[in-house]
Amino acid sequence: METASHLVFGFAFSFILFDYLFPRIFFDGKWISGFVGILFVIGFLTVLKFQLIFYPLAFWKVDFQTYWLEGLRIVQFQFFTFTVWVFFAYHQIQKEKIEKEVALEKLSIEHNSLQLSPHFMLNLFSALIVQVRSNSASLYHDLENFSVMLKYGYKSLTIENSLLDELTAIESYSKCQYLRFGEKLQMKLHLDYEGEIAKHVFLPKMILLTLVENIFKHGVFLKPKTPCIINCKLGGGIFEAPIKFSFMIFNLVDVNRDFPESGFGMESVLKILKYNFGDQFCFIYSLVEGEFSLLLSIDYGQNI
């Protein structure tokens, strides 16, 4: 009876202390009411516990040494639980911080994407493409690639984005860049994936496309001897093999140029990957003497 009472009342006090009183003191800044609450809870639970343990003896007839030992027991037990609570509270704060940062990044992107109605723009553009098709096949394909980019750009962040959506956007984006620079563009793009597998796995919007776009923002991509290289491989997904995805970029960077901060660079990509994939991904990049290299791998750990 006595051991069970100590255990039950100890955890009851810990629950009230760490779930209500400590947050009231440390987070809300209500020091006086918090400490008064702690003293009240200690007194109330101690009296109630002693009334149960020493019944029918009244709690005020319990000797001082018993109260002293009870006080020491409370201090020891709460010191241990306080240590556990600190680590738990720190973990929760870090988790909430990451969630808020990711939400802020998404809000920033949505704010920057405020335009005319996407349906109006896409329907109008599709109508123009149909009219062009009969006059110029090459122009039709160029506009079709641009249409894919428009549709992807207008896609809401609240709609789930698949790996296939991201890779399709990269292919269309690269074709638009070839249209822009022509034969001067030195880029080797190799995407090795099965569409049926890629459409079943998730990847946050703009993750890969941001990395590719950085080549044209910060890189050297017009030198024939040093082309930029983009490779990806999607493996697994059949015969119960886990799905694994790898993405690699290599290009030169003109370190003498000053580039404006985009507000959505490597750190933002890393935060979003960590938020969505935890420890199931690897993201490494380096810049050494003007040579930039990047490797992203994701272990989806599933099959279709």
Side-chain angles (χ1 to χ4, degrees), residues 73-128:
R73 182 183 295 110
I74 291 175
V75 171
Q76 292 174 347
F77 185 77
Q78 298 311 320
F79 177 78
F80 170 75
T81 52
F82 177 76
T83 304
V84 176
W85 179 81
V86 167
F87 283 105
F88 175 76
Y90 176 78
H91 173 73
Q92 289 296 110
I93 291 173
Q94 291 298 113
K95 181 180 178 182
E96 292 177 1
K97 179 182 176 182
I98 293 174
E99 290 177 350
K100 290 180 180 179
E101 288 176 344
V102 171
L104 182 61
E105 294 287 354
K106 290 182 177 180
L107 180 62
S108 176
I109 295 171
E110 288 185 336
H111 186 145
N112 293 332
S113 299
L114 291 177
Q115 304 288 341
L116 293 174
S117 169
H119 296 290
F120 168 76
M121 297 295 293
L122 293 174
N123 290 336
L124 176 61
F125 198 76
S126 297
L128 294 174

Side-chain angles (χ1 to χ4, degrees), residues 156-170:
S156 173
L157 292 172
T158 59
I159 300 176
E160 183 168 315
N161 190 67
S162 70
L163 178 59
L164 179 61
D165 294 331
E166 196 76 6
L167 295 176
T168 301
I170 289 177

Side-chain angles (χ1 to χ4, degrees), residues 133-200:
R133 184 173 187 176
S134 59
N135 297 320
S136 174
S138 61
L139 181 58
Y140 167 77
H141 290 300
D142 292 336
L143 291 176
E144 194 173 36
N145 288 319
F146 184 61
S147 176
V148 171
M149 294 306 304
L150 277 180
K151 183 178 179 181
Y152 178 82
Y154 277 122
K155 185 177 181 181
S156 173
L157 292 172
T158 59
I159 300 176
E160 183 168 315
N161 190 67
S162 70
L163 178 59
L164 179 61
D165 294 331
E166 196 76 6
L167 295 176
T168 301
I170 289 177
E171 290 178 313
S172 295
Y173 179 82
S174 65
K175 291 177 182 178
C176 289
Q177 293 291 10
Y178 273 113
L179 177 64
R180 177 185 175 191
F181 294 102
E183 296 181 355
K184 294 188 296 182
L185 178 59
Q186 303 298 319
M187 180 173 67
K188 295 183 178 180
L189 176 67
H190 179 68
L191 306 179
D192 182 7
Y193 67 94
E194 290 289 339
E196 189 63 28
I197 299 175
K199 73 178 182 180
H200 286 94

